[in-house]
Amino acid sequence: MPKRLTVGAICELALRQIGALSINESAAPGQELDVAMTLLDQIVGHHTAVNRILHLVPTTIEIPLLVDKVDYEITNTADSDEPNSGIQFPLQASFRDANGSDIPVDIISRSEYEEITTKDQSGTPTVVYIDRLNKPTMRVHPVPGGTTPNAATGTSIQLVIQAFSKDLTAARGGRQAHEMRNTWQLWMIVELAYRIGSGPVRKIPKTELDDLRRDADRYLNDLLQNENREHVGYPRVVDFREF
């Protein structure tokens, strides 16, 4: 398994890539390291915002439903499976009945939700709408009904989400670990070298920048094609036999 680097180590390797840190220096200057850490945090944040990243899809979140309740602030109503870094975006949802059976429900847009005329209609939820606020709220429709308002029903929404990437600038000197899988580190180093070599730390020649851009794009494409996929069992292969 590849060695797991700290955020600071990734930044120092990127600084060496553009000549801002020589082989004879044991540590990067604090100001340059801070700039590199900030840009690495932005690079990873942008990447996880535009791609589905499997290692940022945690355990399914369970949101217990209450009778006659439409709105659920996920950060307050979800169980302990909610990620500390928050919810980047939802991926899929299902309704779990009192017997433990799951029924898929659709995640709809705001315009679709606004077209629903009777938002407090009673029934088994078939759709949910989740807003894009930093502390997202989920609205269910139809709404589990009953004679006692706010009484627990024994049902829930099972929500699969992608979490935000964590803050890579949190620890002084970059001593914290990143949350990316180890095999993404080469891309992170080269992508960061391209960013900091285009002006924030050094202004390296365009030909060298172009090489970094090409390599970073190739590494990312390789990762998205294979590493960032779910791997299932391959069909069993047996020796050919002539019957």
Side-chain angles (χ1 to χ4, degrees):
M1 182 177 182
K3 179 180 179 180
R4 188 164 187 80
L5 303 175
T6 64
V7 170
I10 289 173
C11 292
E12 288 182 347
L13 287 170
L15 288 165
R16 293 187 192 280
Q17 185 85 41
I18 64 170
L21 182 65
S22 77
I23 194 67
N24 297 317
E25 294 177 285
S26 60
Q31 188 173 7
E32 293 182 348
L33 182 60
D34 288 345
V35 170
M37 287 172 55
T38 297
L39 285 172
L40 180 61
D41 183 61
Q42 293 175 355
I43 287 168
V44 173
H46 177 267
H47 169 64
T48 59
V50 298
N51 294 291
R52 179 173 178 178
I53 308 301
L54 295 182
H55 59 259
L56 290 179
V57 180
T59 304
T60 301
I61 296 173
E62 182 173 21
I63 305 171
L65 296 177
L66 302 177
V67 170
D68 297 335
K69 184 172 177 60
V70 177
D71 300 341
Y72 297 83
E73 187 177 313
I74 298 175
T75 53
N76 289 334
T77 55
D79 65 15
S80 58
D81 292 326
E82 188 215 344
N84 293 330
S85 56
I87 297 172
Q88 177 89 256
F89 46 76
L91 297 171
Q92 64 186 57
S94 60
F95 169 76
R96 177 166 293 177
D97 65 22
N99 297 318
S101 298
D102 289 349
I103 304 169
V105 301
D106 292 330
I107 301 174
I108 62 174
S109 67
R110 177 169 182 171
S111 60
E112 291 174 309
Y113 183 75
E114 293 299 338
E115 290 176 359
I116 298 173
T117 55
T118 308
K119 293 181 173 58
D120 58 353
Q121 174 187 341
S122 295
T124 299
T126 58
V127 299
V128 296
Y129 162 63
I130 301 172
D131 62 33
R132 296 287 289 168
L133 301 177
N134 286 332
K135 292 185 177 181
T137 295
M138 178 186 72
R139 297 170 175 85
V140 300
H141 182 81
V143 182
T147 57
T148 306
N150 297 324
T153 66
T155 62
S156 64
I157 293 294
Q158 303 292 310
L159 188 62
V160 180
I161 61 96
Q162 179 166 309
F164 281 104
S165 59
K166 71 177 184 180
D167 181 2
L168 300 185
T169 69
R172 185 176 179 82
R175 291 186 295 271
Q176 79 272 27
H178 58 84
E179 84 284 350
M180 305 292 282
R181 284 168 60 89
N182 294 13
T183 45
W184 290 76
Q185 293 176 152
L186 179 59
W187 165 74
M188 294 166 71
I189 293 165
V190 178
E191 180 69 36
L192 178 59
Y194 171 79
R195 297 296 176 187
I196 62 178
S198 61
V201 174
R202 291 285 190 277
K203 190 71 173 178
I204 65 175
K206 184 179 184 303
T207 54
E208 296 181 27
L209 273 179
D210 290 343
D211 288 343
L212 290 172
R213 178 72 277 149
R214 183 191 63 244
D215 290 346
D217 288 344
R218 177 164 59 89
Y219 296 149
L220 180 58
N221 183 65
D222 290 345
L223 291 165
L224 293 175
Q225 289 296 315
N226 191 60
E227 161 66 13
N228 194 48
R229 290 187 176 185
E230 293 180 317
H231 296 275
V232 297
Y234 291 96
R236 181 176 296 180
V237 178
V238 298
D239 295 334
F240 174 75
R241 293 192 303 170
E242 185 175 355
F243 295 93

